[in-house]
Every structure is written in C-alpha cells, then in structure tokens.
Amino acid sequence: MGAEGWSARLGERLFERFERAREGGRAPRYSAALQRLAEQVQGFAREAEPLVVAADEEASLAQGVEIARELLRRAARAGWLTRFLPGWVGGQAGVAALQQRGRLPMLIFVEELAAVSPGLATLLGAHYLGAMPILLSFDFAAQRRILRPLCAALQAGEPAICAFAITEPEAGSDVEDPVGGKRARLGTTARRVAGGYVLKGRKCFISGGNLARVTTVFAALEPEKSLRSWTCFAVPMDTPGVEVVRVEDKMGQRVSPAAELYFDEVFVPESYRVGPEREGWRINRATLDLSRPFVGGMALGAARTVLHEGVAWAAKNGLMHDRFFQHEIARLLGSYAAARALVVRAVEVVPPMTELSAMAKFVATDTAMRIVSQIMDWMGVEATLRSSRVERLYRDIRLTQIYEGTNEINRLAVFEHGQPRSWADSF
Ligand SMILES: Cc1cc2nc3c(=O)[nH]c(=O)nc-3n(C[C@H](O)[C@H](O)[C@H](O)COP(=O)(O)OP(=O)(O)OC[C@H]3O[C@@H](n4cnc5c(N)ncnc54)[C@H](O)[C@@H]3O)c2cc1C
C-alpha cells in the first residue's frame, strides 16, 4: 500500500474513533480534581436534603434556625466553611490552587449545593460573602486577627460563621448602585471615640445574621453620613448592644435565615475596622463583583435539577419524540448552557469585572427563572404540590433575582463605569 493508502486508512480509523467518542455524548466538565470536589459537595448536599425539606415544609422559624445551625455544624466538621479561605487565616485554600483554578471551585461548590437547595447554598455561601470584605481589604494582619479565631472554631466543628450587612430598612438598592447611593438615606452610622468607633443603626435581611460570630457591617461616618464616608467594620456579634431583632418569614430559601439586626451604641475597636476609613463603598463593590456570578451559579444549579425533572416528566409522558417538545426542551437546554458559559467566564476573569459579574448574575438568574416557570407550565398541578421539588426550587430561585442587587440594579451596573468597558474583548 502506498503512502496515500496508509494515510487514507489512518484517516478512516481516526474518524471512526472520533465519531465513537462523539456518540458517547459526554464532554467532561472538569479536571479530575474538580470532578472529585463536585462529587464531594453533591454527597454533602444529598445528606443535608431531608433537613432542608424539614426547614422548608414543617418547621417554625425557631426550628428552622436550629436546623440551619445543625447544617452549619455539619459543614464546619466536613471542612466546607474553611475550604475556600486562604491558608494564612487557617483555611484550606493554597495560593497555588487559587492561582491555578481561580474561583471555579467556589462556583462548583455553590452550584452543587444549589442543585439540591439554593437555600443551602445561601446558608453556606453567605459565610464566605461575610469574610470577603476582610480578605479584600488586603490587610493581612487584620485578616489573621479576625479570621484565624473563626477558622479555629470552625475546624472544631462550631458554626462560627461570618455575615455581610449592607442593606438597611431605608436603603436596599441604594447601597448597590452609585447613582442611587448619592441620595441614599443611610441610617447606620459610626462615631469616632477613643480607641475605636461606636456604631448605631439597623441592618435588615442579613443572611445568617442571627447565627454569625462576626458580621461585616458598613456604616457612614458621623457627622457627614454619606455613602462616600462608608466604612466597613468587623463586628463580633457578642459585643454588648448587638441585637437580633427578628428572623424574616420569607417565601423561599427557608433553610437560610435572614435577620434584622440592631446596633445600639456598639463599640468596635479600631483594630476591627476593615480597610481604611471611607473605603467602604469600594470594598462593598469589590465584594459584590466577586460574588454576583456565584448567585448566577446558584440559580443555574437549581435550574439544572429542574431541567432533569422536566425531561424525566416529558419522557414519562411519552413526549420526548414530540417535535413541539423537542423545540421547547432544546430552547431551555440552550439557554441554560449559554448562561452557564457566561457565569464560568465571569468567575475566570481576574480581577472580577463589574459589568461581566452583573451580566452573569441577571442573565443566569433570569434564565433559571424562565426554565423553572416553563417546566412548571408543562407539569401543571403536579409541580404546584408542596411535595414537589420543582415547587420548592421555584420559590428558591425567585429570590436569586432579588438579592445581591435586584436584577434591575445589576443591569444598571453594566453602565456603572460609563460606557461598558471592553465587553466584547472579555468573551
Ligand atoms: C433572601 C435574601 C437574602 C438577603 N441577604 C442579604 C445579606 O446577606 N446582606 C445584605 O446586606 N442584604 C441582603 N439581602 C437584601 C437584598 O440585597 C436587598 O433586598 C436588595 O438589594 C433589594 O433591596 P430592597 O429589597 O430594599 O429593594 P428596593 O431598593 O426597595 O427596590 C424596590 C424595587 O425598586 C427597584 N429599583 C430601585 N432603584 C432602582 C433604580 N435606580 N432603577 C430601577 N429600579 C430600581 C428595584 O429593582 C426593586 O424592584 C437579602 C435579600 C433577600 C431577599
């Protein structure tokens, strides 16, 4: 056989192998290490599901809080609350791993938790959100001072979590948007006193605020009380004057308590100020830019479960060969895949870009909501029963469109720096 014949035979064999691989229809999403992480999180979430359901369906608010505490204890013992904190504060994330894999492991973490329960993802994720301002202050001494004792307690299995407090009764969107921020009526203030500050005011809807050991609280300096004077403080929640006013009775994510907090003349030492004075707004924006794609990831994690349920329902009802349904399912799978690709891109970009993070958040959460609404339409009454997982995920996903800035505010964030910066180059 001549050279051409060999070349043709080789080509045929390679094509054959290529087609066999394609027929398998699977493209591994992750490296082996990340796949292992995904499976570990799935295992944790599966075991947590009965408690999540109990908090959602049966429990009173007080019982729900106890369930949340128990889940945090389990998560602490399993290392999930220190896993993504850096080694120098007592966490398990090495600098090399952070450099190699960036925020993808964290995305996998919240996504796989949310595939079982977005509430569970918020319960655990809000701890990292609360720690983020301290990390983003890049004040390594303060990081160690504040976070090391928490990590030690977490490693001992205590639910020593952080929470993040920007929202106030009179200022929700206004503390997420620089234009609204200029006219924000800020009610939480910090007054300078010898050795530190005295905080006064109210924060509301703070995820895990009733359970936290430390909350990062953003307060306007007296006397000016403007967003420009916003400063971040790490407030130990056992400080005299800190009061948990109530836990909200909300429609979804019921396993993740959201609390109103009152700070009644709370003394915070200077060493617990996070970053310099007046850097609160920048630290807040950096935190949200890092975190918003994860909210998108949570919504899509839940949407993936709903898609599985919808496809299984269509198969059970003999609809998978129906061309109308094929159109519908293809549309949903395509929009899921596109939104997820955007979220993955947003977590890859270092440092995070305001526009990309906001787009990932509103595109993914809106897509997830469309998916769950559409699948509820197909399934009809079956999906409206309290015993249906789709019903619970519908209520849970809805909240992702509201927190970390409503999707309206996230759309405005695309213009936060004037014209959207180099958006076309970022894809
Ligand atoms: C489950 C849950 C958990 C939460 N966890 C936390 C937490 O851990 N920490 C924390 O600090 N906060 C938390 N929040 C609060 C959340 O971030 C706020 O609810 C959110 O920012 C919206 O604020 P708001 O509810 O006061 O709405 P408002 O600001 O009162 O907005 C009402 C409506 O007006 C629209 N709107 C406002 N301004 C504009 C504008 N300029 N242009 C167009 N539309 C506008 C909004 O989009 C919205 O539709 C949580 C909320 C929920 C639901």
Side-chain angles (χ1 to χ4, degrees), residues 285-423:
R285 290 306 288 118
T287 301
L288 294 174
D289 286 350
L290 264 169
S291 172
R292 281 175 171 171
F294 296 134
V295 179
M298 286 181 198
L300 290 177
R304 192 183 71 203
T305 301
V306 173
L307 276 169
H308 281 303
E309 298 260 344
V311 168
W313 177 88
K316 192 177 81 189
N317 289 283
L319 293 166
M320 289 303 277
H321 299 290
D322 180 300
R323 304 227 82 187
F324 168 77
F325 256 90
Q326 287 177 349
H327 272 288
E328 293 297 299
I329 293 170
R331 220 194 304 275
L332 294 188
L333 293 178
S335 62
Y336 165 83
R340 189 167 189 283
L342 173 58
V343 168
V344 170
R345 181 69 191 129
V347 301
E348 274 172 4
V349 172
V350 179
M353 264 179 78
T354 302
E355 297 90 331
L356 206 48
S357 295
M359 282 193 259
K361 196 268 182 183
F362 72 74
V363 169
T365 57
D366 285 350
T367 300
M369 201 60 214
R370 263 198 308 278
I371 289 172
V372 68
S373 303
Q374 178 71 73
I375 287 178
M376 277 190 107
D377 283 349
W378 298 350
M379 294 173 76
V381 286
E382 203 177 304
T384 67
L385 299 174
R386 290 302 297 270
S387 55
S388 154
R389 183 183 277 155
V390 173
E391 185 270 347
R392 173 167 57 81
L393 293 178
Y394 176 88
R395 288 183 284 111
D396 279 10
I397 291 172
R398 184 66 182 87
L399 297 184
T400 64
Q401 292 179 300
I402 293 174
Y403 58 70
E404 299 222 6
T406 61
N407 283 1
E408 286 80 12
I409 291 300
N410 274 269
R411 281 188 272 276
L412 292 178
V414 173
F415 294 88
E416 196 165 312
H417 301 279
Q419 291 300 310
R421 295 167 303 176
S422 65
W423 60 273

Side-chain angles (χ1 to χ4, degrees), residues 216-265:
T216 38
V217 179
F218 291 71
L221 293 179
E222 289 192 14
E224 61 253 66
K225 296 189 183 175
S226 66
L227 200 62
R228 234 177 303 144
S229 74
W230 235 22
T231 302
C232 179
F233 301 91
V235 180
M237 296 298 278
D238 58 358
T239 311
V242 176
E243 187 190 330
V244 175
V245 179
R246 65 163 183 271
V247 173
E248 304 295 350
D249 192 5
K250 53 189 170 36
M251 66 178 274
Q253 303 202 4
R254 290 177 65 82
V255 74
S256 169
E260 179 168 324
L261 305 174
Y262 183 54
F263 300 91
D264 187 9
E265 299 281 320

Side-chain angles (χ1 to χ4, degrees), residues 122 126 129 163-177 179-180 183 203-209 250 252-253 256-258 399-400 402-409 412:
T122 301
L129 181 67
F164 173 76
I166 55 171
T167 307
E168 301 184 1
E170 296 295 319
S173 299
D174 286 348
V175 292
E176 304 247 8
D177 165 45
V179 179
R183 54 167 191 271
K203 295 284 179 182
C204 60
F205 258 91
I206 307 308
S207 297
K250 53 189 170 36
Q253 303 202 4
S256 169
L399 297 184
T400 64
I402 293 174
Y403 58 70
E404 299 222 6
T406 61
N407 283 1
E408 286 80 12
I409 291 300
L412 292 178

